[in-house]
Amino acid sequence: MGEVLAYWWLLPAVIYGCGGLAERGRKALRTRHTRKLQLLEAAHAGRLALAEANRPPEPVCGCTHHLAVHDDQGRCHEESQTPVAWDADGRPFAYELRACACRRYVGPEPLGTVFAPELVDPR
């Protein structure tokens, strides 16, 4: 027992050294957690981008109105805010609702429903 008590001064060094190891372990786990969160966010952003890429284009005209408000000739039947008064710097500050000045629909044309008969005779 006397030999063990002779090395009492090692006890604080061992405790301090183990505390340093614990701190390094905590730092490594914190870094790993941060990196894992970044990977999860990147995977989520990738899934959102893929879903966005697979979505068909919205039929929106250059006047920012949907194809549904354009008639068969392409004329827009929606109202839009038009500036009617400007300040000293040339920025509009008063608006009025007027008929859209769009002459015809110029957005993407949606594909119609296609009927395709079966290629194989089901006899």
Side-chain angles (χ1 to χ4, degrees):
M1 187 78 170
E3 293 177 17
V4 174
L5 290 178
Y7 294 104
W8 65 270
W9 55 272
L10 279 175
L11 186 63
V14 169
I15 291 174
Y16 177 75
C18 291
L21 289 175
E23 182 59 37
R24 273 190 254 154
R26 278 192 295 274
K27 184 177 178 185
L29 286 175
R30 197 173 316 119
T31 304
R32 181 178 183 277
H33 178 71
T34 303
R35 179 67 181 143
K36 188 70 169 177
L37 286 177
Q38 290 171 348
L39 289 173
L40 288 172
E41 288 173 9
H44 180 67
R47 284 192 303 273
L48 289 178
L50 184 63
E52 184 70 25
N54 288 335
R55 199 180 60 155
E58 286 289 321
V60 176
C61 185
C63 65
T64 68
H65 296 129
H66 198 272
L67 174 62
V69 297
H70 290 78
D71 61 12
D72 292 337
Q73 290 78 30
R75 184 170 165 82
C76 186
H77 293 280
E78 188 71 25
E79 293 182 337
S80 60
Q81 285 188 341
T82 307
V84 292
W86 291 265
D87 63 5
D89 296 328
R91 293 179 293 208
F93 68 89
Y95 296 90
E96 186 177 278
L97 281 178
R98 293 186 180 170
C100 183
C102 172
R103 296 286 178 230
R104 67 182 184 89
Y105 176 75
V106 293
E109 291 293 329
L111 295 175
T113 305
V114 177
F115 172 74
E118 291 189 28
L119 298 176
V120 180
D121 193 17
R123 289 188 231 181

